[in-house]
């Protein structure tokens, strides 16, 4: 009994306290003789000795519980960490597992975790919502688990064949643990928590007796404590006997035996119930009066009764339906409104209107609001419409168009006020407030968002792309409707929608018709296709209407760019080039909004590719230069985002840029684009480098091409080219030496054909053009490089070397002589090119470069010295103050004269220092004088 409830006097309590405080301290090493004083908590706890098996298995089960908890909240990072810990714990328990076998709960976790990860991996929408760390942990854990499960394939397969056995074993283990815990508790605690029926009965009894037990709590507690204290005082003679271990009476043994029987009975009931569920039987009979738990079957929820729109017996009239429609629309946009239920109510309302024949005006008004509600179902701009909602939207718009075409006396428009609407069938024409064009534009935007948010390499993207035909069909129907009843502005807007779905598509049927002109069609289907309108005619008609009628710059600009793109796509180079030059779009495009700028970049790229196909190499290079030199072609064309830091672009800007991306089926092949640019640069740059090999003021035509050349030169080991860039670099080196065949083999081969050239509509024609250009530019490079070696060369030899016709060789050399690129003359009777020896040798070129650099050094030295002295080139001060400058001038003059008096190969050039320092290279007058 506690001393705080003792009835002794104050003096006795003080003496007892003082007696407790004064304890003799042990002297020396007499600690073993002193009694050990334990606290109350230490006396209650018992030391439990467990085996190594229990310790290791308990460690495994604790980690498994943590993994299962992380699985419930989809914390993949935690799952990965705990899985690694589980592997380490399993290795610690390896000796025990070898003796006892792999525990069933371990196999069960591996199987469940594998199924769980497979389910998560297939859930694409869930993976998109995961953060970066969770997605990375999911991929890593999936790979590790697959590798780890290879050692447990047989046990996992056995578990999956009979998972109930392991579940029963686990439940038995849990019940055994409950039994061991309940043995130390009171009899009332034994009865509770054993079975679901008893727990349920106990809960019901507790509810019935709750009020009566509240009043008796204090009385029963006091009586029990008094009786217990009296019994305990009379029962034990000594204090030690009070705490000795007691042997259990026969009543407790009977209770434990009874508990085991109940456990066996419950196990039997579980087996019977599982068999009954598999056999499709109904509910099991409850022997204990409805106390058993019932398993709720999953699946589709029960169909609820549709809410009644109107009270029973209400007369359905147009004003009542409109009033009900306004009530539904008032909840639109409010917090807590169920959008799906609102759409169902509108569908139900339109069904009621059609059943009661209230007129097409009411139906059209409700359907307008149904489509608007479908668009508002996703409040987030970045979210896209689900597949079922998208199908409902298309069906509803088609139904709306059917009604509008079947009722020519119906007028719809945004300018119609709600008060002036006429929804009832009467002599006057029906007037409904709404804009069909706005619905179509929003539908087109939703389709674009669906394509943006779908994996382009999946079958789902192909299935979604099939809906574009339905979208185009709807746009055509609205175009016909607006051509009859729409304004000029609305017609221009719907024409632009039609153009945006046409401009990027290559018309293969028209292309085949051009190739087969003059041939008679063999079937009726071919005749029908020939009678169909070409995309070129359609684009021309739509765009010219916009050019003439549109009042907004944006629609006209987009139409011009789409028209140019379509011309370039179909090899109409001159029409596309002229339209671009006449529009002057390049002057003001920087002020346009980003989507129009992306369209402009796409048009310029397509224009450059078209010029390349036509053999206009310089025009192709100029068109592609701005896009390729920026290093951001992917971003400028709207085909993806580059990795940037948060300082350059925050999350909001990234979301906005993602919404501007072009769907995958409209992309331009970036590898093809880069290849066309590099090949164009090679055909321009290599002859230019050969012509200005010793020119110090030589400028680069293409920085990106020179960068690729430098990268190729830095490689310590040169193997066969693999990538597209390596092929172009290897071809450039071959062209530099005048070896056109090796250059052709590097540019045109099976690998390059598969990557680039086969992607063109007329691939063979493009390859032939490219071979021709390589031959011509290799000839020019050869003449630039080796002209100083020849006194004269016959054109027939050049024709055989480069496999070109003699007239073509004659034309190329004539152009080079006229443009003052080659110092030579043509001898027509002998078909010979006579070289003029006016070109300086390599030693003289080096001397000229040195003289030019020394001259620059002298000028800079004088300018700095004059600035320091405060005088600017004074004649009288120069003799005393610029001795260094004069000495440099002397050196410069002497070195120039030394190098310039060296004899040339065939002529003696007595040119002054000033004239040679300003030597331009290859003038016709100097050539004539030298000759």
């Amino acid at each position: 009994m506690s001393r705080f409830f003792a009835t002794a006097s104050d003096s006795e309590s003080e003496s007892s306290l003082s007696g407790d405080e004064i304890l003799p301290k042990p002297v020396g090493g007499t600690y073993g003789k002193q009694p050990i004083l334990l606290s109350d908590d230490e006396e209650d706890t018992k030391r439990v000795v467990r085996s190594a098996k229990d310790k290791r298995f308990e460690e495994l089960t604790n980690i498994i519980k943590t993994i299962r908890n992380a699985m419930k909240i989809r914390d993949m990072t935690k799952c990965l960490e705990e899985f690694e810990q589980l592997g380490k714990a399993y290795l610690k328990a390896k000796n025990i597992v070898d003796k006892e076998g792999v525990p069933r709960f371990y196999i069960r976790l591996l199987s469940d975790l594998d199924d769980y990860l497979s389910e998560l991996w297939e859930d694409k929408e869930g993976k998109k919502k995961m953060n970066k760390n969770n997605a990375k942990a999911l991929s890593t854990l999936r790979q590790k688990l697959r590798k780890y499960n290879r050692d447990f394939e047989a046990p996992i397969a056995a578990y999956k064949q009979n998972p109930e056995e392991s579940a029963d074993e686990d439940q038995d283990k849990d019940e055994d643990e409950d039994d061991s815990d309940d043995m130390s508790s009171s009899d009332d605690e034994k009865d509770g928590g054993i079975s679901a029926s008893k727990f349920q009965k106990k809960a019901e009894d507790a509810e019935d007796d709750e009020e009566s037990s509240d009043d008796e709590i204090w009385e029963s507690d006091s009586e029990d404590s008094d009786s217990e204290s009296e019994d305990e005082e009379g029962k034990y003679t000594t204090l030690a006997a009070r705490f000795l271990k007691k042997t259990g009476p026969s009543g407790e043994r009977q209770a434990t035996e009874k508990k085991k029987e109940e456990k066996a009975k419950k196990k039997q009931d579980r087996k019977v119930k599982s068999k009954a569920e598999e056999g499709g039987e109904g509910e099991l009979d409850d022997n204990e009066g409805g106390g058993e738990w019932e398993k709720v079957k999953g699946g589709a929820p029960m169909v609820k009764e549709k809410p009644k729109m109107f009270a029973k017996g209400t007369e359905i009239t147009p004003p009542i339906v409109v009033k009900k429609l306004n009530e539904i629309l008032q909840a639109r946009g409010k917090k807590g409104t169920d959008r799906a239920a609102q759409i169902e109510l509108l569908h139900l309302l339109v069904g009621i209107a059609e059943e009661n024949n209230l007129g097409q005006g009411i139906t059209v008004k409700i359907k307008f609001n149904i489509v608007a509600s479908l668009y508002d179902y996703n409040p987030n701009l970045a979210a896209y419409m689900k597949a079922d909602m998208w199908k409902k939207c298309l069906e509803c718009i088609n139904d709306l168009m059917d009604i509008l075409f079947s009722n020519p006396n119906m007028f719809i428009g945004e300018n119609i006020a709600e008060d002036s609407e006429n929804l009832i069938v009467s002599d006057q024409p029906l007037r409904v407030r709404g804009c069909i064009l706005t619905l179509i534009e929003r539908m087109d935007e939703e389709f674009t968002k669906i394509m943006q948010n779908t994996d382009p390499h999946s079958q789902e993207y192909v299935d979604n792309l099939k809906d574009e035909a339905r979208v185009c069909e709807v746009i055509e129907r609205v175009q016909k409707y607006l051509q009859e009843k729409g304004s000029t502005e609305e017609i221009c807007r719907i024409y632009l929608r039609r153009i945006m779905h046409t401009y990027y598509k290559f018309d293969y049927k028209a292309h085949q018709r051009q190739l087969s002109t003059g041939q008679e069609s063999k079937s009726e289907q071919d005749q029908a296709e020939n009678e169909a309108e070409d995309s070129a005619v359609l684009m021309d008609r739509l765009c010219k209407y916009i050019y003439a009628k549109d009042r907004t710059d944006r629609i006209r600009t987009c139409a011009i760019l789409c028209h140019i793109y379509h011309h370039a796509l179909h090899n109409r180079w001159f029409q596309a080039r002229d339209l671009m030059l006449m529009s002057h779009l390049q002057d003001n495009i920087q002020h346009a909004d980003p989507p129009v700028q992306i369209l402009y970049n796409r048009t310029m790229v397509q224009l450059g590719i078209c010029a390349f196909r036509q053999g206009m190499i310089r025009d192709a290079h100029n068109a592609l230069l701005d896009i390729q030199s920026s290093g951001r072609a992917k971003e400028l064309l709207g085909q993806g985002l580059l990795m940037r830091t948060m300082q350059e672009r925050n999350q909001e800007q990234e979301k906005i840029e993602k919404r501007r991306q072009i769907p995958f089926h409209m992309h331009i092949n970036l590898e093809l684009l880069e290849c066309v640019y590099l090949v164009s640069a090679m055909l321009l740059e290599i002859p230019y480098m050969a012509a200005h090999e010793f020119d110090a003021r030589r400028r680069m035509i293409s920085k990106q091409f020179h960068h690729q050349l430098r990268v190729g030169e830095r490689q310590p080991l040169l193997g066969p080219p693999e990538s597209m860039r390596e092929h172009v670099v290897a071809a450039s080196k071959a062209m530099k030496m005048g070896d056109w065949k090796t250059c052709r083999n590097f540019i045109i081969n099976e690998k390059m054909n598969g990557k680039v050239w086969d992607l063109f509509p007329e691939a063979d024609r493009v390859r032939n053009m490219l071979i021709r250009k390589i031959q011509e530019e290799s000839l020019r490079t050869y003449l630039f490089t080796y002209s100083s070696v020849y006194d004269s060369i016959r054109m027939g030899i050049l024709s055989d070397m480069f496999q070109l016709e003699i007239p073509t060789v004659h034309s190329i050399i004539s152009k080079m002589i006229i443009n003052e690129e080659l110092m030579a003359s043509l001898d027509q009777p002998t078909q010979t090119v006579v070289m003029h020896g006016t070109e300086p040798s390599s030693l003289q070129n080096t001397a000229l470069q040195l003289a030019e650099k020394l001259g620059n050094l002298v000028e800079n030295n004088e300018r700095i010295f004059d600035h320091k002295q405060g005088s600017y080139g004074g004649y009288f001060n120069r003799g005393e103050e610029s001795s260094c400058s004069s000495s440099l001038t002397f050196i410069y003059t002497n070195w120039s004269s030394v190098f310039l008096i060296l004899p040339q190969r065939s002529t003696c050039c007595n040119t002054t220092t000033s004239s040679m320092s300003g030597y331009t290279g290859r003038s016709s007058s100097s050539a004539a004088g030298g000759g």
Side-chain angles (χ1 to χ4, degrees):
M1 187 173 178
S2 178
R3 66 169 178 263
F4 296 106
F5 295 100
T7 56
S9 62
D10 295 339
S11 60
E12 291 176 354
S13 63
E14 289 174 1
S15 62
S16 64
L17 285 172
S18 61
D20 292 340
E21 291 172 358
I22 302 169
L23 290 174
K25 293 184 179 180
V27 181
T30 58
Y31 291 103
K33 298 179 181 179
Q34 284 296 112
I36 299 173
L37 300 178
L38 301 174
S39 63
D40 296 338
D41 297 335
E42 291 173 345
E43 290 176 357
D44 293 340
T45 58
K46 295 181 180 179
R47 185 185 177 196
V48 179
V49 180
R50 294 182 298 168
S51 63
K53 173 186 174 183
D54 295 338
K55 289 181 182 179
R56 297 303 180 194
F57 281 13
E58 184 181 0
E59 184 180 2
L60 291 174
T61 53
N62 290 336
I63 296 174
I64 288 172
K65 286 179 182 178
T66 310
I67 292 175
R68 291 193 180 278
N69 291 336
M71 289 165 61
K72 291 177 183 177
I73 60 175
R74 292 195 172 191
D75 189 356
M76 293 295 102
T77 308
K78 186 68 175 175
C79 277
L80 179 59
E81 293 176 0
E82 294 299 325
F83 181 74
E84 292 174 352
Q85 295 295 329
L86 183 65
K88 294 177 182 178
Y90 183 79
L91 287 177
K92 290 181 183 178
K94 185 66 175 174
N95 295 332
I96 299 171
V97 170
D98 293 340
K99 295 178 183 178
E100 303 290 336
V102 182
R104 294 282 293 180
F105 63 84
Y106 193 76
I107 298 299
R108 181 183 180 187
L109 173 81
L110 295 179
S111 176
D112 294 348
L113 187 59
D114 189 19
D115 297 340
Y116 175 74
L117 293 179
S118 301
E119 182 180 355
L120 280 184
W121 191 261
E122 293 173 359
D123 186 9
K124 296 179 180 178
E125 296 180 1
K127 282 169 65 179
K128 289 179 182 178
K129 294 178 182 178
M130 282 186 180
N131 58 24
K132 186 177 180 180
N133 294 332
N134 260 1
K136 186 177 180 181
L138 173 62
S139 178
T140 307
L141 180 58
R142 182 167 173 265
Q143 293 176 359
K144 287 189 175 183
L145 185 64
R146 281 187 172 183
K147 187 176 180 181
Y148 190 76
N149 281 358
R150 291 174 188 169
D151 299 332
F152 302 96
E153 288 181 353
I156 290 175
Y159 166 76
K160 287 185 177 180
Q161 289 178 0
N162 190 11
E164 295 179 0
E165 182 180 351
S166 65
D168 293 340
E169 290 179 1
D170 292 340
Q171 290 177 3
D172 294 341
K173 288 180 181 179
D174 294 339
E175 288 175 359
D176 292 339
E177 291 176 0
D178 294 338
D179 294 342
S180 63
D181 293 338
D182 294 340
M183 286 298 292
S184 61
S185 62
S186 62
D187 294 335
D188 296 335
E189 291 172 349
K190 289 179 185 177
D191 296 335
I194 295 173
S195 65
S197 60
K198 292 183 179 180
F199 175 76
Q200 206 170 24
K201 285 182 179 180
K202 188 174 180 181
E204 292 174 358
D205 296 338
E207 290 176 0
D208 296 336
D209 301 339
E210 186 175 359
E211 296 179 359
S212 61
S213 62
D214 288 341
D215 299 333
E216 300 174 358
I217 288 173
W218 292 100
E219 296 177 3
S220 62
D221 287 345
S222 60
E223 291 174 1
D224 293 342
S225 61
D226 294 340
S227 60
E228 286 176 3
S229 60
E230 291 174 1
D231 294 341
E232 288 176 355
E233 287 176 0
K235 187 174 180 180
Y236 302 107
T237 57
T238 61
L239 186 63
R242 183 186 182 98
F243 296 102
L244 287 175
K245 186 176 180 182
K246 301 176 285 296
T247 57
S250 60
E252 292 182 0
R253 293 176 182 173
Q254 293 176 359
T256 54
E257 292 176 358
K258 185 178 180 181
K259 194 168 187 62
K260 290 180 180 178
E261 292 176 0
E262 290 176 355
K263 185 177 69 175
K265 185 178 179 181
K266 282 197 295 180
K267 187 173 181 180
Q268 185 69 20
D269 292 341
R270 275 201 310 272
K271 291 182 178 179
V272 172
K273 187 181 290 186
S274 62
K275 290 180 181 179
E277 288 175 356
E278 291 175 359
E281 296 181 1
E283 298 179 355
L284 293 174
D285 296 333
D286 190 2
N287 297 328
E288 298 182 359
E292 288 289 338
W293 293 94
E294 295 181 3
K295 183 176 179 181
V296 179
K297 295 183 178 180
M302 297 179 66
V303 180
K304 297 181 181 179
E305 294 183 359
K306 295 182 178 179
K308 294 182 179 179
M309 299 291 295
F310 303 100
K312 190 175 182 180
T314 304
E315 184 180 359
I316 307 300
T317 58
I320 292 177
V321 173
V322 173
K323 183 179 179 182
K324 192 68 177 178
L325 175 64
N326 292 330
E327 290 178 4
I328 296 172
L329 295 179
Q330 283 176 0
R332 179 180 171 187
K334 291 185 179 180
K335 188 176 181 180
T337 304
D338 188 357
R339 298 183 182 87
Q342 201 174 27
I343 295 170
E344 289 181 5
L345 289 175
L346 291 173
H347 277 290
L348 186 60
L349 188 61
V350 75
I352 293 173
E354 290 175 352
E355 287 177 3
N356 293 274
N357 297 322
L358 298 182
Q360 299 293 344
I362 298 287
T363 304
V364 168
K365 185 173 180 63
I366 298 173
K367 283 189 176 292
F368 264 113
N369 288 287
I370 289 175
V371 178
S373 300
L374 288 171
Y375 290 151
D376 294 342
Y377 185 77
N378 292 321
N380 189 4
L381 286 175
Y384 62 97
M385 195 177 286
K386 303 299 180 185
D388 53 345
M389 293 290 179
W390 171 248
K391 290 179 181 178
K392 287 181 182 178
C393 179
L394 286 179
E395 291 173 359
C396 197
I397 290 176
N398 279 319
D399 295 343
L400 200 57
M401 293 308 301
D402 291 338
I403 296 173
L404 292 178
F405 277 113
S406 61
N407 293 276
N409 63 336
M410 183 182 295
F411 294 94
I412 59 173
E414 290 179 320
N415 54 354
I416 299 175
E418 292 185 0
D419 300 336
S420 61
E421 284 184 328
N422 181 22
L423 306 176
I424 306 171
V425 177
S426 61
D427 298 335
Q428 298 179 356
L430 299 175
R431 295 167 59 85
V432 182
R433 176 178 174 81
C435 181
I436 187 66
L437 181 58
T438 306
L439 297 183
I440 298 305
E441 289 177 341
R442 184 68 189 275
M443 175 199 69
D444 196 15
E445 293 172 2
E446 289 293 335
F447 176 73
T448 303
K449 283 199 288 187
I450 290 173
M451 302 309 295
Q452 286 173 346
N453 290 276
T454 308
D455 183 11
H457 305 291
S458 64
Q459 183 63 31
E460 184 183 2
Y461 191 91
V462 179
D463 297 337
N464 291 338
L465 190 57
K466 293 177 182 177
D467 289 337
E468 191 185 14
R470 300 177 63 187
V471 173
C472 293
E473 183 182 353
V474 171
I475 292 175
E476 289 178 14
R477 296 186 69 187
V478 175
Q479 176 187 333
K480 292 179 183 177
Y481 178 79
L482 292 178
Q483 284 174 349
E484 297 175 0
K485 298 184 178 181
S487 62
T488 304
E489 182 183 357
E490 291 177 337
I491 293 174
C492 289
R493 286 165 60 188
I494 195 64
Y495 276 5
L496 182 62
R497 290 289 165 182
R498 183 83 183 274
I499 289 169
M500 296 299 286
H501 282 275
T502 308
Y503 80 98
Y504 63 91
K505 298 175 183 175
F506 186 81
D507 194 349
Y508 284 97
K509 294 179 181 178
H511 182 65
Q512 291 295 329
R513 284 196 292 270
Q514 288 179 358
L515 295 179
S516 61
T517 50
Q519 298 179 3
E520 297 181 358
S521 56
K522 299 179 181 179
S523 63
E524 296 179 358
Q525 184 178 0
D526 294 339
Q527 292 178 358
E529 289 179 356
N530 289 333
E531 292 174 0
E533 186 178 23
D534 285 349
S535 61
V537 178
L538 174 65
M539 288 287 294
D540 192 61
R541 178 168 57 84
L542 299 179
C543 291
K544 284 183 177 178
Y545 182 89
I546 292 176
Y547 300 158
K549 303 290 185 180
D550 181 60
R551 297 178 182 178
T552 62
D553 290 337
R554 189 182 186 282
I555 293 179
R556 185 169 59 252
T557 301
C558 291
I560 291 172
L561 292 173
C562 292
H563 204 182
I564 295 169
Y565 190 104
H566 194 265
H567 278 316
L569 189 65
H570 292 82
N571 292 331
R572 295 188 287 270
W573 155 248
F574 293 103
Q575 294 94 316
R577 183 198 62 182
D578 295 343
L579 189 56
M580 174 63 77
L581 294 176
M582 288 188 297
S583 63
H584 297 284
L585 290 177
Q586 59 272 20
D587 299 334
N588 302 316
I589 195 63
Q590 67 271 15
H591 303 299
D593 53 342
V596 178
Q597 291 183 7
I598 290 173
L599 180 58
Y600 174 81
N601 294 336
R602 287 167 52 81
T603 303
M604 289 302 299
V605 164
Q606 198 60 245
L607 199 61
I609 295 175
C610 175
F612 181 81
R613 289 197 299 264
Q614 298 299 317
M616 311 290 183
I617 302 300
R618 188 170 295 278
D619 293 327
H621 180 270
N622 294 336
L624 302 177
L625 179 62
D626 292 336
I627 300 294
Q628 286 298 122
S629 61
S630 64
R632 299 187 299 124
K634 184 178 183 180
E635 190 172 1
L636 292 175
L637 295 176
Q639 298 181 185
L641 299 179
L642 300 177
M643 296 297 293
R644 291 189 182 180
T645 58
M646 292 300 293
Q647 287 81 10
E648 296 179 2
R649 178 175 59 205
N650 55 28
Q651 291 184 351
E652 270 313 309
Q653 291 174 344
E654 188 171 352
K655 289 179 181 178
I656 293 171
E657 290 184 10
K658 281 183 178 179
R659 289 200 293 269
R660 295 174 185 153
Q661 299 303 300
I662 303 296
F664 183 76
H665 64 280
M666 299 170 64
H667 281 193
I668 297 172
N669 192 321
L670 295 178
E671 190 174 14
L672 180 144
L673 172 62
E674 187 178 9
C675 181
V676 167
Y677 174 75
L678 290 177
V679 170
S680 302
M682 177 191 73
L683 295 174
L684 295 175
E685 192 77 59
I686 297 299
Y688 181 80
M689 289 169 62
H692 301 83
E693 184 176 1
F694 303 105
D695 190 357
R697 297 180 181 179
R698 183 185 66 194
R699 294 183 179 179
M700 292 183 290
I701 297 176
S702 171
K703 290 183 179 180
Q704 187 179 4
F705 177 74
H706 275 273
H707 173 70
Q708 296 300 331
L709 287 181
R710 285 193 297 270
V711 170
E713 290 173 357
R714 289 195 200 116
Q715 292 180 356
L717 296 175
L718 290 178
E722 295 180 359
S723 65
M724 177 270 300
R725 295 175 180 174
E726 292 177 355
H727 277 85
V728 175
V729 170
S732 302
K733 292 179 180 179
M735 181 181 281
K736 213 170 183 180
M737 304 299 295
D739 188 359
W740 74 273
K741 292 183 179 179
T742 307
C743 177
R744 178 199 61 188
N745 294 334
F746 279 128
I747 293 295
I748 298 173
N749 49 56
E750 293 182 1
K751 189 178 290 186
M752 291 291 287
N753 288 341
K755 285 184 177 181
V756 180
W757 309 124
D758 288 341
L759 302 178
F760 288 118
E762 298 177 1
D764 294 333
R765 188 175 66 83
V766 173
R767 280 191 284 264
N768 294 332
M769 178 274 301
L770 201 52
I771 293 172
R772 184 80 172 185
K773 288 293 178 181
I774 289 173
Q775 290 172 331
E776 294 176 359
E777 297 304 325
S778 298
L779 172 60
R780 284 165 47 83
T781 305
Y782 184 82
L783 290 175
F784 284 138
T785 305
Y786 300 107
S787 61
S788 59
V789 178
Y790 290 97
D791 286 331
S792 63
I793 185 171
R794 194 161 51 86
M795 283 190 288
I797 296 174
L798 295 176
S799 175
D800 295 337
M801 285 176 62
F802 295 95
Q803 294 184 5
L804 291 171
E805 300 83 2
I806 291 180
T808 304
V809 175
H810 184 277
S811 173
I812 292 171
I813 295 175
S814 299
K815 286 180 183 177
M816 292 174 68
I817 294 174
I818 292 171
N819 295 331
E820 300 179 358
E821 296 174 341
L822 181 66
M823 295 301 103
S825 59
L826 287 174
D827 188 9
Q828 292 291 343
T830 59
Q831 293 290 312
T832 304
V833 182
V834 180
M835 302 295 176
H836 297 167
T838 58
E839 296 182 3
S841 64
S842 59
L843 183 61
Q844 290 175 336
N845 276 313
T846 307
L848 289 173
Q849 293 177 16
L850 178 61
E852 187 174 1
K853 291 179 180 178
L854 287 172
N856 292 334
L857 179 63
V858 170
E859 291 178 3
N860 293 334
N861 184 51
E862 290 180 353
R863 192 178 297 113
I864 293 170
F865 191 77
D866 291 344
H867 181 70
K868 185 176 181 181
Q869 296 296 327
S871 60
Y872 297 94
Y875 178 76
F876 296 100
N877 298 330
R878 182 170 293 187
E880 299 176 356
E881 296 176 357
S882 59
S883 60
C884 179
S885 174
S886 60
S887 63
L888 285 174
T889 307
F890 174 75
I891 294 171
Y892 160 64
T893 308
N894 289 334
W895 273 98
S896 301
S897 60
V898 166
F899 280 107
L900 291 174
I901 62 173
L902 291 173
Q904 288 190 354
R905 174 174 46 82
S906 60
T907 59
C908 181
C909 189
N910 297 322
T911 314
T912 61
T913 304
S914 59
S915 63
M916 284 302 293
S917 62
Y919 179 78
T920 57
R922 301 169 176 86
S923 64
S924 58
S925 59
S926 63

